[in-house]
């Protein structure tokens, strides 16, 4: 397809940007001698799993369907036997049986869970087909602001605390896992690891491998990639462990857009408000959940969606971008644009590959956006319609 043939709303994933990210992550793998996994919960567009498999060692799943999706779709000629890791705060007995047939690394969130499922996983572990880790809670918070993304916060159910770990790692457990970061650089990782060294040293001595979780913004321009490589080498040498990273965001950071059309412009008590065919509530839930104001191409400035009207500006106009659902708070943000758009114009939101299609929904009977792959080609016909959703997708999950 050509650009002008695309429908709105559509998520467009740029293959070229994805490859740029994958090359950086692959370099970390090669130069640090570690393994990098795709955290599927951030990005599960399996049309590009074979491409991702060319660069990364495998996947990490947060639930049985993600594990199954990786089993069915992840892999390539370059990487025919990718790793399939699974962490869940609690596994269900019937799922454990299925997981043992498709996964190769399982992470338990408590000793009770480890033991409850031992009779299922242990034969696989003894046969060398499964590796088992415990998720620990370093109780060292490095985040401010986004409490819902902080597994070290008070009352967190994620990970076993130092005081609850036995003297020695239980039989069959060879790995340790922590995941505590969110969109962070190298220093919070180092700081967290230092606290793990201080509080969990006996287990690091015993462990054969460690997974440093996700939340590393490795593909962001200002990330210290050299420093990360040096740090992983240091961990490997000091503790004699294999090292895994499992970023989600970093894989498809800034590798996708969401295009939407202006359907109407209404005057409100303060600002012109554009009604779009994309919805924050349905198509970019993190905008409301995190919350954040997504980047908009060509915008001169932006502000949070619920703030009152900003000052008049010298250049451009402030507008509120909102959706056509009935939810009053379904506002994407307040943006200063070079000029007031016209009805029918297309607006493009940035960084819409991650935590977008994996979280969207059909609230209000809204259609789901198309999923489009923009191939890394000069050709005008470089847009491939990967998936179009319809009424059946809405109806099918309701009864
Ligand atoms: C969410 C999550 C990830 C990926 O996090 P990103 O912030 O997308 O990099 C990795 N591991 C675990 C256990 C997670 O819960």
């Amino acid at each position: 397809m050509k650009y002008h043939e695309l429908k709105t709303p559509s998520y467009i994933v740029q293959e070229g940007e994805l490859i740029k990210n994958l090359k950086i992550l692959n370099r970390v793998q090669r130069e640090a001698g570690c393994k990098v996994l795709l955290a599927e919960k951030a990005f599960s567009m399996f049309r590009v799993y074979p491409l991702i498999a060319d660069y990364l060692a495998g996947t990490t799943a947060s639930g049985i369907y993600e594990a199954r999706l990786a089993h069915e779709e992840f892999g390539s000629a370059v990487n025919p036997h990718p790793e399939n890791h699974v962490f869940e705060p609690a596994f269900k007995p019937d799922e454990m049986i299925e997981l043992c047939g498709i996964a190769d690394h399982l992470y338990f969130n408590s000793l009770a869970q480890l033991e409850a499922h031992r009779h299922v996983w242990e034969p696989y572990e003894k046969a060398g087909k499964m590796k088992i880790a415990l998720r620990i809670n370093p109780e060292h918070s490095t985040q401010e602001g986004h409490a819902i993304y902080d597994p070290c916060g008070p009352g967190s159910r994620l990970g076993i605390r130092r005081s609850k770990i036995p003297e020695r790692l239980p039989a069959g457990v060879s790995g340790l896992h922590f995941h505590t970061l969110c969109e962070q650089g190298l220093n919070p990782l180092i700081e967290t690891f230092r606290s793990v060294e201080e509080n969990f040293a006996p287990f690091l001595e015993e462990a054969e491998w460690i997974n440093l979780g996700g939340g590393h913004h490795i593909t962001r321009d200002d990330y210290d990639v050299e420093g990360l490589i040096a740090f992983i080498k240091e961990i490997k040498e000091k503790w004699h462990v294999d090292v895994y990273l499992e970023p989600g965001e970093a894989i498809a950071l800034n590798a996708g857009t969401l295009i939407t059309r202006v359907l109407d412009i209404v005057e409100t008590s303060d600002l012109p408000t554009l009604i779009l065919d994309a919805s924050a509530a349905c198509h970019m839930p993190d905008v409301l959940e995190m919350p954040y104001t997504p980047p908009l191409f060509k915008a001169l400035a932006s502000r949070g969606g619920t703030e009152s009207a900003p000052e008049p500006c010298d250049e451009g106009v402030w507008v509120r971008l909102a959706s056509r659902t009935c939810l009053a708070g379904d506002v994407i943000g307040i943006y200063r644009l070079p000029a007031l758009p016209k009805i029918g114009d297309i607006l493009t939101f940035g960084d819409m590959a991650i935590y977008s299609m994996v979280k969207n929904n059909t609230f209000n009977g809204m259609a789901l956006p198309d999923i489009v792959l923009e191939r890394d080609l000069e050709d005008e016909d470089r847009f491939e319609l990967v998936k179009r959703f319809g009424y059946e997708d809405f109806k099918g999950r309701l009864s």
Side-chain angles (χ1 to χ4, degrees):
M1 285 178 31
K2 299 178 179 44
Y3 181 79
H4 71 84
E5 292 169 329
L6 300 178
K7 276 199 359 184
T8 57
S10 285
Y11 300 112
I12 309 174
V13 168
Q14 285 90 29
E15 187 182 41
E17 298 301 317
L18 195 57
I19 292 172
K20 245 192 244 170
N21 289 345
L22 291 169
K23 284 190 168 155
I24 294 170
L25 297 166
N26 183 262
R27 193 183 136 224
V28 172
Q29 268 194 161
R30 277 182 289 114
E31 295 188 13
C34 68
K35 287 182 176 165
V36 180
L37 310 170
L38 161 71
E40 291 183 275
K41 77 163 197 259
F43 183 68
S44 304
M45 181 179 159
F46 58 90
R47 166 67 182 78
V48 291
Y49 274 12
L51 171 69
I52 299 174
D54 281 349
Y55 295 88
L56 305 186
T59 52
T60 194
S62 308
I64 182 110
Y65 292 161
E66 284 183 359
R68 194 169 144 187
L69 184 67
H71 181 67
E72 290 177 3
E73 302 290 340
F74 200 88
S76 68
V78 179
N79 182 5
H81 304 294
E83 296 184 12
N84 192 340
H85 296 227
V86 190
F87 163 78
E88 291 190 58
F91 293 100
K92 293 180 137 184
D94 52 335
E95 290 183 349
M96 182 54 49
I97 294 167
E98 187 181 339
L99 284 172
C100 283
I102 59 177
D104 38 65
H105 290 70
L106 293 177
Y107 300 74
F108 290 94
N109 191 53
S110 73
L111 297 172
Q113 274 280 305
L114 176 80
E115 298 307 333
H117 299 289
R118 178 179 289 277
H119 65 288
V120 185
W121 60 256
E122 197 161 53
Y124 292 85
E125 195 274 330
K126 288 203 160 134
K129 290 183 185 154
M130 181 71 81
K131 289 192 179 167
I132 303 293
L134 291 178
R135 176 167 176 172
I136 57 172
N137 183 340
E139 296 180 77
H140 182 89
S141 186
T142 56
Q143 301 188 42
E144 286 157 28
H146 296 301
I148 73 163
Y149 298 116
D150 186 0
C152 292
S156 170
R157 69 190 180 292
L158 300 165
I160 307 169
R161 288 158 201 274
R162 173 70 185 86
S163 59
K164 296 278 187 271
I165 295 227
E167 293 280 300
R168 309 226 27 197
L169 287 181
V173 175
S174 58
L176 285 182
H177 176 227
F178 66 81
H179 167 72
T180 69
L181 307 183
C182 178
E183 302 189 336
Q184 284 170 292
L186 178 61
N187 286 336
L189 170 63
I190 296 179
E191 212 185 280
T192 305
F193 192 76
R194 296 292 174 233
S195 90
V196 170
E197 285 181 314
E198 216 167 279
N199 296 311
F200 294 86
F203 315 104
L204 275 174
E205 296 280 4
E206 286 184 86
E208 290 162 22
W209 55 286
I210 182 161
N211 183 329
L212 308 178
H216 319 283
H217 248 189
I218 302 168
T219 50
R220 200 171 67 199
D221 286 344
D222 61 354
Y223 192 95
D224 180 6
V225 176
E226 302 301 330
L228 177 67
I229 292 169
F231 183 59
I232 293 171
K233 283 184 173 164
E234 181 203 308
I235 296 176
K236 290 181 56 175
E237 278 165 29
K238 186 163 168 192
W239 295 103
H240 308 287
V241 283
D242 291 328
V243 174
Y244 287 90
L245 298 172
E246 49 176 19
E249 291 215 2
I251 278 106
L253 190 66
N254 291 315
T257 54
L258 174 61
I259 57 167
T260 177
R261 210 175 287 271
V262 179
L263 298 180
D264 199 7
I265 302 176
V266 294
E267 281 302 328
T268 61
S269 58
D270 48 13
L271 290 176
T273 294
L274 277 53
I275 299 185
L276 308 178
D277 62 4
S279 153
C282 301
H283 308 142
M284 34 185 141
D286 264 2
V287 166
L288 302 181
E289 201 171 291
M290 197 165 186
Y292 80 108
T293 309
L296 177 73
F297 284 25
K298 300 203 176 121
L300 306 172
S302 68
R303 315 235 321 212
T306 50
E307 292 179 31
S308 57
E311 300 291 301
C313 40
D314 300 336
E315 194 192 346
V317 291
W318 284 103
V319 297
R320 180 179 290 103
L321 299 185
S323 137
R324 64 188 177 120
T325 67
C326 69
L327 175 70
D330 195 352
V331 171
I332 299 151
I334 294 174
Y335 294 85
R336 196 157 94 205
L337 302 180
L340 188 65
K342 293 187 293 297
I343 290 170
D345 282 357
I346 290 180
L347 300 180
T348 305
F349 289 101
D351 202 17
M352 281 293 157
I354 48 179
Y355 294 108
S356 54
M357 35 186 133
V358 291
K359 292 186 106 177
N360 63 14
N361 63 76
T362 56
F363 181 52
N364 272 227
M366 289 288 130
L368 295 170
D370 285 354
I371 296 178
V372 175
L373 180 64
E374 180 176 356
R375 303 297 309 277
D376 191 19
L377 306 167
E378 291 297 324
D379 196 331
E380 237 200 315
D381 269 312
R382 65 184 180 279
F383 297 92
E384 174 190 322
L385 177 64
V386 175
K387 180 96 192 198
R388 174 158 291 165
F389 302 92
Y391 172 66
E392 292 308 322
D393 296 292
F394 163 75
K395 187 178 178 187
R397 24 183 303 215
L398 293 172
S399 37

